[in-house]
Amino acid sequence: MKKIAIQGIQGSFHDIASHRYFKDEELEMICCDTFEELFETMQKDNSVYGVCAIENTIAGSLLHNYELLRDSGMTIIGEQKIHVEHSLLCLPEDDEKDIVEINSHPVAFMQCRQFLKSMPQCKLVEADDTAGSAERIRRLSLRGHAAICAKEVAPIYGMKVLHEAIEDNKHNYTRFLVLCDPWNADKLRDASKSNKSSIVFSVHHECGQLSQVLSIFSFYHINMTKIQSLPIIGHEWEYLFYVDLTFTDYMLYRHSIDAIRPLTQQLKILGEYESDN
């Protein structure tokens, strides 16, 4: 049985992503209130995996999670992308006309703006977790309350689905990283199947340094699928660059990493893994 730390509870999108990645495996879910707690759980027990959201096609990157990942020392061994479909759930005895308050995570509210315009009588109350909003409504028997979350939550907590697919953009995907202690990483992945890498580095504060790094990747036919910059605290106008790379030749990729080392500082490979296309 694998132990998986997630942010959220049973039925959350983290829970759904975990079961899709580790399909057909028996899992023990460790539900955490915050992403900080997720990484702390992994650091306390090196047998625990982590599944952590890192970006959404609408809301963008979860910037703080990049910092948590880098500081934790954990290694990426895989990724899972899921299609995020939001539904409106309520108690079985309620109907749409009874709903006066809607609870959910603020990102879910942002992704369902057009639908929410159709229910102007409802008060929107932010919560830490989408599935947690439904669980609280069920546990406290909150009549007149509804939750925006995945429809998979309904049978778990005995809720009723009022509306399905209420998200504004139907091309709504979230990418999750699968993490583990670096000492266990080689046992859990096949390096020969790796076709994606996530790295982080800074560059010398000189003209053209970042451009040279990117040119090297181009020379080695390494595709850069994402670049995210975050400020280095205490160093004004200096940045860490988080970069996702894809490649077809692992050795060429490794040569490119060696080639950029003299041009970079704090270079760290966060993980090498198979892309979830």
Side-chain angles (χ1 to χ4, degrees):
M1 178 184 290
K2 287 185 170 65
K3 294 184 286 185
I4 315 293
I6 60 171
Q7 188 275 321
I9 65 173
Q10 186 180 11
S12 66
F13 289 110
H14 277 82
D15 182 40
I16 294 169
S18 299
H19 281 87
R20 288 187 186 175
Y21 184 85
F22 295 104
K23 55 182 179 293
D24 302 325
E25 295 193 53
E26 190 174 355
L27 305 181
E28 176 188 338
M29 307 307 296
I30 303 174
C31 299
C32 305
D33 291 332
T34 64
F35 289 110
E36 286 84 356
E37 184 182 343
L38 185 159
F39 283 98
E40 288 169 5
T41 300
M42 295 183 67
Q43 290 170 324
K44 290 176 183 176
D45 183 348
N46 64 10
S47 69
V48 174
Y49 296 78
V51 174
C52 178
I54 198 66
E55 64 176 320
N56 175 266
T57 52
I58 298 174
S61 297
L62 283 75
L63 300 180
H64 186 46
N65 287 358
Y66 279 102
E67 296 176 326
L68 291 173
L69 171 59
R70 180 176 180 273
D71 293 342
S72 72
M74 296 299 155
T75 295
I76 306 168
I77 59 168
E79 66 176 9
Q80 180 67 49
K81 299 171 185 174
I82 66 169
H83 186 199
V84 177
E85 294 181 290
H86 292 300
S87 295
L88 188 69
L89 276 58
C90 68
L91 294 174
E93 53 269 32
D94 278 344
D95 290 309
E96 183 172 338
K97 61 180 175 55
D98 303 312
I99 305 304
V100 296
E101 180 174 309
I102 300 176
N103 309 133
S104 195
H105 192 277
V107 172
F109 284 142
M110 183 188 71
Q111 295 173 349
C112 301
R113 286 173 177 166
Q114 293 303 314
F115 172 81
L116 292 172
K117 287 180 181 179
S118 70
M119 302 186 71
Q121 77 281 8
C122 294
K123 178 183 178 182
L124 306 184
V125 178
E126 295 183 356
D128 293 332
D129 183 50
T130 53
S133 299
E135 186 277 334
R136 179 174 176 272
I137 291 171
R138 175 78 274 182
R139 175 167 43 86
L140 300 178
S141 298
L142 298 177
R143 294 292 304 273
H145 288 229
I148 294 177
C149 55
K151 65 181 179 181
E152 288 87 347
V153 171
I156 297 173
Y157 299 113
M159 301 286 281
K160 179 170 72 176
V161 179
L162 281 178
H163 294 280
E164 292 186 33
I166 64 173
E167 67 278 1
D168 297 342
N169 191 320
K170 304 309 175 185
H171 299 281
N172 184 5
Y173 291 84
T174 296
R175 175 175 167 241
F176 297 82
L177 299 178
V178 182
L179 313 167
C180 76
D181 185 282
W183 291 102
N184 297 326
D186 289 337
K187 306 173 191 174
L188 303 169
R189 64 183 174 188
D190 184 348
S192 65
K193 294 182 179 180
S194 296
N195 61 1
K196 189 169 185 178
S197 171
S198 295
I199 66 174
V200 59
F201 60 85
S202 63
V203 294
H204 303 286
H205 210 38
E206 300 173 11
C207 180
Q209 288 293 97
L210 180 59
S211 176
Q212 291 182 56
V213 171
L214 302 185
S215 295
I216 289 173
F217 287 138
S218 177
F219 175 80
Y220 282 96
H221 304 288
I222 307 300
N223 185 30
M224 187 173 62
T225 60
K226 183 178 182 182
I227 182 168
Q228 179 74 56
S229 64
L230 288 178
I232 301 175
I233 306 302
H235 295 263
E236 294 80 5
W237 321 121
E238 295 185 27
Y239 299 87
L240 284 169
F241 296 95
Y242 292 83
V243 179
D244 288 341
L245 308 168
T246 58
F247 47 87
T248 55
D249 187 316
Y250 182 78
M251 291 310 299
L252 274 182
Y253 149 73
R254 293 300 305 196
H255 289 324
S256 74
I257 295 298
D258 291 339
I260 69 168
R261 285 189 186 279
L263 300 172
T264 63
Q265 297 174 308
Q266 306 180 62
L267 175 63
K268 183 177 183 181
I269 298 174
L270 298 172
E272 299 168 351
Y273 49 99
E274 273 192 270
S275 171
D276 179 24
N277 294 322

